Amino acid sequence: MKRKILLCVAILSISFTFAFADNGKPAASVNLKSSSVIEAYIDANVHCNAALLNQVMHNEAVLKITRQGKIVDQTKKELVDFYKKRGDITLNCTPNFEILSSCDNVVMVRVDFKYPLFTQQNYVTIVKDEEGVWKISQINRFNG
């Protein structure tokens, strides 16, 4: 009898663990290296992954886009909300990146997304905070 009760408790524990696990949340290890943040940023953009984008962007991060001679700013919240509305889709583009400059706590990267008719260039600034966590602080986007 004790064995059956113990088995039932074990099965219930395992069931609750899987039922309440947050599989949509990216691993915290993404922010431990600047290279991981770059890869996560690319993945978040190609697959419109709002959760991953949310994790790699600093709360005060800004996306600056040049449109018709004007600069349009988008906050992290606006960008993440936009990705949530788009849903989980895969864009028809080929990503590529180049590290332009780096030091102990700042990395500047150019990330290109090559679409069939144009290439989108993103100049991404990634910074490391006092706790050693890497996050994107600014993105400048150009559509060419």
Side-chain angles (χ1 to χ4, degrees), residues 6 103 113:
L6 189 57
C103 65
F113 296 100

Side-chain angles (χ1 to χ4, degrees), residues 24-31 36-57 76 80 83-84 135-136:
K25 189 173 182 182
S29 62
V30 166
N31 298 92
S36 299
V37 171
I38 296 165
E39 292 168 4
Y41 173 72
I42 290 170
D43 187 50
N45 275 280
V46 170
H47 300 290
C48 296
N49 186 332
L52 188 56
L53 187 67
N54 186 49
Q55 182 171 348
V56 297
M57 290 186 72
K76 172 186 175 179
V80 169
Y83 276 48
K84 284 179 183 176
K135 292 213 175 185
I136 295 169

Side-chain angles (χ1 to χ4, degrees), residues 83-132:
Y83 276 48
K84 284 179 183 176
K85 287 178 187 173
R86 286 184 100 173
D88 187 23
I89 61 170
T90 300
L91 300 178
N92 182 23
C93 65
T94 304
N96 192 19
F97 74 91
E98 176 185 359
I99 296 175
L100 302 174
S101 186
S102 66
C103 65
D104 292 340
N105 56 356
V106 179
V107 177
M108 175 63 91
V109 183
R110 188 184 85 214
V111 180
D112 294 340
F113 296 100
K114 185 167 177 53
Y115 293 88
L117 300 176
F118 70 98
T119 299
Q120 180 188 85
Q121 289 184 325
N122 295 258
Y123 290 88
V124 182
T125 305
I126 304 168
V127 296
K128 181 168 69 171
D129 66 15
E130 306 82 34
E131 298 169 1

